[in-house]
Amino acid sequence: MIPSAIVYTSRTGFTRQYAQMLGKQVGLPVYSLEDGLYGLPQGTGIIYLGWLFASHVQGYAKARKRFSICAVCGVGLCDTGTLLEQVRSATGIPSEIPLFTLQGGFDRSKLKGPNKLLIHMLVKGLSSQAQRSPQDERMLQLLQKDGSYVSLDNLSGVLIWYQFLIK
Ligand SMILES: Cc1cc2nc3c(=O)[nH]c(=O)nc-3n(C[C@H](O)[C@H](O)[C@H](O)COP(=O)(O)O)c2cc1C
């Protein structure tokens, strides 16, 4: 199925930026999940983007009940194109649905309540480890300073997939 819309869930804005960037590139309308649930017909083919929480693509479960998911993008702090197996299994994305991970960003000032506490605990836990894997070391560095890693370059895999699909 060829997607006819892009739907996203974003907490601090990085996933929204990717959704808008992608919409512009492929010429599809972009909806937040709430707006899409309200305004798009049942079964609409969509590209779904959600931020990553514990390797889980937020909002995917809700989106899949209503829409026909053509591809999923998980936006996290991980490097673009990594953690694919982990994210697919944590979120329960079937193998036939293309999955992409995109590096988003971190903005501590926009986090509230439990999310802020979880990040604080994660940083504390990682900092207290005597020895860290290179991946944990990188995650710790990214969590210690705010930053945006959103770029058109990171969307290249999704754009290649889309061009191939519509040919
Ligand atoms: C509580 C919490 C858990 C997170 N878990 C992950 C994770 O498992 N993997 C990852 O790569 N990024 C993780 N992140 C980072 C976010 O996915 C990242 O900041 C993302 O860009 C946020 O997107 P948004 O601005 O659209 O909300 C986590 C962030 C928070 C606050």
Side-chain angles (χ1 to χ4, degrees):
M1 182 185 245
I2 306 277
S4 52
I6 291 166
V7 175
Y8 71 87
T9 297
S10 181
R11 184 156 194 94
T12 61
F14 300 106
T15 309
R16 183 174 58 242
Q17 283 180 43
Y18 272 123
Q20 285 166 347
M21 211 180 253
L22 183 59
K24 208 169 166 187
Q25 291 296 313
V26 300
L28 290 178
V30 178
Y31 299 83
S32 67
L33 182 56
E34 296 85 64
D35 290 349
L37 288 172
Y38 182 71
L40 288 169
Q42 178 102 22
T44 302
I46 64 159
I47 302 175
Y48 181 73
L49 293 87
W51 68 284
L52 291 177
F53 181 147
S55 297
H56 189 276
V57 181
Q58 296 298 287
Y60 172 79
K62 229 180 195 177
R64 69 180 277 262
K65 282 191 193 143
R66 167 107 186 171
F67 303 117
S68 187
I69 312 277
C70 303
V72 177
C73 301
V75 178
L77 271 180
C78 60
D79 288 325
T80 295
T82 63
L83 291 188
L84 289 167
E85 284 308 307
Q86 215 166 306
V87 170
R88 190 179 282 284
S89 129
T91 314
I93 301 168
S95 56
E96 63 273 17
I97 297 181
L99 169 67
F100 304 88
T101 52
L102 308 170
Q103 192 170 38
F106 194 56
D107 185 347
R108 197 178 290 259
S109 71
K110 288 187 184 159
L111 289 180
K112 291 189 190 112
N115 284 342
K116 202 169 186 169
L117 187 67
L118 275 169
I119 291 297
H120 177 74
M121 283 162 64
L122 184 60
V123 170
K124 213 171 156 189
L126 287 172
S127 310
S128 65
Q129 281 173 18
Q131 282 202 319
R132 284 182 285 276
S133 68
Q135 206 167 3
D136 281 352
E137 184 61 42
R138 183 154 168 70
M139 187 57 84
L140 183 59
Q141 280 171 12
L142 292 172
L143 288 171
Q144 280 173 327
K145 60 176 171 50
D146 288 355
S148 172
Y149 312 98
V150 174
S151 75
L152 188 55
D153 230 29
N154 286 338
L155 276 175
S156 60
V158 188
L159 293 172
I160 290 167
W161 163 79
Y162 185 79
Q163 290 309 326
F164 190 74
L165 187 75
I166 61 165
K167 249 187 197 166

